[in-house]
Amino acid sequence: MKKQWLYTLLFFVSINLNAQEFKTPVDYLNYIGKEQENISRSMWKYTSAVAHSKSARRIDNTRKLLVKSIQTASKKIAALKDGYKGDTEYRNQILEYLSISEKNINEEYDKIIDMQEVAEQSYDAMEAYIMTRDLVNKKIDTENEKAELAQKNFCSKYNITLSENTSELGKKIKISNEVFAYHTELYLIFFKANVTDLYLSNAIEKNDIGGIQQNAATLIQYADEGLEKLKSIKPFGTDNSMVLITKKALEFYKEQGQQFVPKIVEFMMFNEKFETAKKTLESKSDKDRTKEEIDNYNNMVKQVNKEIDNYNKINNTNFQEKNNIINQWNTTGDNFISSHVPIG
């Protein structure tokens, strides 16, 4: 279930400059723009690696290259101490943007990884992890917007015509953001039931009948809530695979709570009854045991052996079906991301 989904919220506009009489400020703008473009290329390589690579090493290597490209750009732009003829507002805003981007991509990354380690232990932890991850991206996005505004102000101040046509790279990043956001929405719906099923499995392992019944009721509730939410989620373009696999998983969890769990509880209650009868019989001496007690116990031994065999069968079947559903969801999610996030 561990899969790292990171948004890349940097957005760069292509600039079409037409200000021949303002050649010097244009050169200044182009110089900074070139550094931004280098960063955007590194950011895209990172986004693509997250979407298409299963190698944690490759993903982390592209992250390190991204940080290095930010550091390189920062040094070059910081060297422009006087900005353009003493006007440093645009330069300073770009440096602020790069500084925050580096800090969040570099330092905050480790915090997010630490949160991811425990995210799957509860829905609240998973939600907190995703919110923190999105907050980091939002900080970068906010600073990027400030940088874009500073760019516009610079152009306005020096009468430079700025055409805000989204670049091909910008389009790819925008699509990627939408893909990851859509996947996350479906994942949270699936995960809420999935983690409740984990609690249910733990209760079964402990023979905790009260815990089993409580978690089964919650599982059915979350499955119903999820199925209701799915009704309002449209396909991603023409791709409805994520909705369909999530629906299939929720229907399985609901059926598990309604049909599998009662059989488990019935077996456990019978087993408790058998253990009580066994202890009662063993506590008596041979001469104090009645024929009725002995016959009743022998019949229960035969019955419990049948129940154990039946329990093992339905438990194994449920376990296999559950694993198949989880594997199908993960595979569908991987395929969804890899097929919709552009390559290269």
Side-chain angles (χ1 to χ4, degrees):
M1 293 299 298
K2 291 192 174 181
K3 182 75 175 178
Q4 176 188 354
W5 306 120
L6 296 178
Y7 292 129
T8 49
L9 297 175
L10 295 177
F11 173 77
F12 294 90
V13 294
S14 63
I15 54 176
N16 180 21
L17 303 172
N18 182 18
Q20 294 176 351
E21 65 273 32
F22 301 105
K23 185 176 181 180
T24 302
V26 168
D27 287 343
Y28 176 74
L29 190 66
N30 277 335
Y31 182 87
I32 294 178
K34 183 179 179 181
E35 296 306 318
Q36 286 181 301
E37 186 177 352
N38 289 336
I39 294 172
S40 67
R41 287 199 182 98
S42 295
M43 176 61 82
W44 174 245
K45 288 179 181 178
Y46 178 53
T47 304
S48 184
V50 170
H52 299 290
S53 176
K54 294 186 182 298
S55 169
R57 178 177 295 181
R58 182 190 170 194
I59 292 172
D60 194 47
N61 284 340
T62 58
R63 180 184 68 86
K64 290 176 181 176
L65 289 174
L66 171 59
V67 171
K68 188 175 181 179
S69 70
I70 293 174
Q71 292 171 339
T72 301
S74 295
K75 289 179 181 179
K76 289 184 178 181
I77 296 173
L80 306 174
K81 295 181 180 180
D82 295 329
Y84 174 67
K85 294 183 178 180
D87 184 352
T88 59
E89 182 179 352
Y90 178 40
R91 164 192 173 275
N92 292 344
Q93 189 61 65
I94 292 296
L95 287 176
E96 179 69 12
Y97 156 66
L98 294 177
S99 175
I100 291 177
S101 294
E102 180 186 351
K103 181 179 184 298
N104 281 278
I105 294 171
N106 199 15
E107 297 177 15
E108 297 297 326
Y109 176 86
D110 292 332
K111 296 178 183 178
I112 292 173
I113 292 300
D114 289 341
M115 292 185 71
Q116 188 185 30
E117 292 297 322
V118 298
E120 294 184 10
Q121 295 179 10
S122 73
Y123 180 80
D124 288 343
M126 177 59 72
E127 200 169 38
Y129 157 68
I130 290 174
M131 287 178 64
T132 302
R133 182 198 65 186
D134 291 350
L135 181 61
V136 168
N137 292 316
K138 181 61 178 176
K139 287 179 182 177
I140 297 175
D141 193 41
T142 298
E143 291 305 314
N144 184 61
E145 290 173 0
K146 292 178 182 178
E148 288 179 358
L149 180 59
Q151 182 190 59
K152 291 178 182 178
N153 290 339
F154 182 87
C155 291
S156 177
K157 186 174 183 178
Y158 295 100
N159 298 320
I160 299 173
T161 301
L162 182 64
S163 177
E164 298 185 1
N165 297 318
T166 305
S167 66
E168 192 63 33
L169 192 56
K171 290 177 182 178
K172 289 180 179 180
I173 292 174
K174 183 176 183 295
I175 291 171
S176 300
N177 291 340
E178 293 171 353
V179 172
F180 287 130
Y182 187 87
H183 180 277
T184 297
E185 181 180 12
L186 273 298
Y187 176 70
L188 280 175
I189 293 173
F190 164 77
F191 181 76
K192 196 170 188 177
N194 178 263
V195 74
T196 304
D197 173 70
L198 177 62
Y199 301 152
L200 173 61
S201 296
N202 290 338
I204 292 174
E205 189 174 338
K206 296 175 183 178
N207 291 320
D208 179 3
I209 294 178
I212 293 171
Q213 293 174 325
Q214 180 180 348
N215 283 298
T218 304
L219 182 60
I220 294 169
Q221 176 190 336
Y222 288 164
D224 282 334
E225 289 176 0
L227 289 168
E228 189 63 31
K229 286 181 181 178
L230 290 181
K231 293 178 181 178
S232 61
I233 298 178
K234 298 179 181 179
F236 189 85
T238 58
D239 187 348
N240 202 34
S241 61
M242 290 299 300
V243 171
L244 292 177
I245 189 58
T246 304
K247 182 174 183 290
K248 183 177 180 180
L250 293 177
E251 288 174 342
F252 166 79
Y253 286 128
K254 183 176 180 178
E255 182 179 344
Q256 179 180 244
Q258 291 178 331
Q259 298 183 22
F260 171 70
V261 170
K263 294 177 182 177
I264 296 298
V265 171
E266 184 180 357
F267 167 76
M268 288 182 176
M269 292 179 70
F270 177 80
N271 196 53
E272 282 186 359
K273 185 178 178 181
F274 169 74
E275 290 297 329
T276 299
K278 181 180 179 182
K279 288 179 181 179
T280 300
L281 191 65
E282 289 177 345
S283 66
K284 295 181 179 182
S285 62
D286 291 343
K287 65 178 182 177
D288 292 330
R289 296 174 182 175
T290 66
K291 184 177 182 303
E292 183 180 359
E293 286 177 326
I294 295 173
D295 289 344
N296 180 58
Y297 175 75
N298 288 335
N299 288 332
M300 290 186 74
V301 169
K302 294 178 182 178
Q303 182 65 23
V304 81
N305 287 332
K306 291 180 182 179
E307 294 295 335
I308 289 174
D309 184 57
N310 185 52
Y311 171 84
N312 288 334
K313 286 180 180 177
I314 63 172
N315 200 34
N316 289 336
T317 299
N318 183 75
F319 180 77
Q320 290 174 3
E321 290 179 356
K322 184 191 303 182
N323 279 347
N324 287 337
I325 286 291
I326 293 174
N327 289 336
Q328 285 176 37
W329 200 98
N330 287 330
T331 300
T332 302
D334 289 345
N335 291 340
F336 172 80
I337 288 176
S338 62
S339 64
H340 291 291
V341 173
I343 301 175

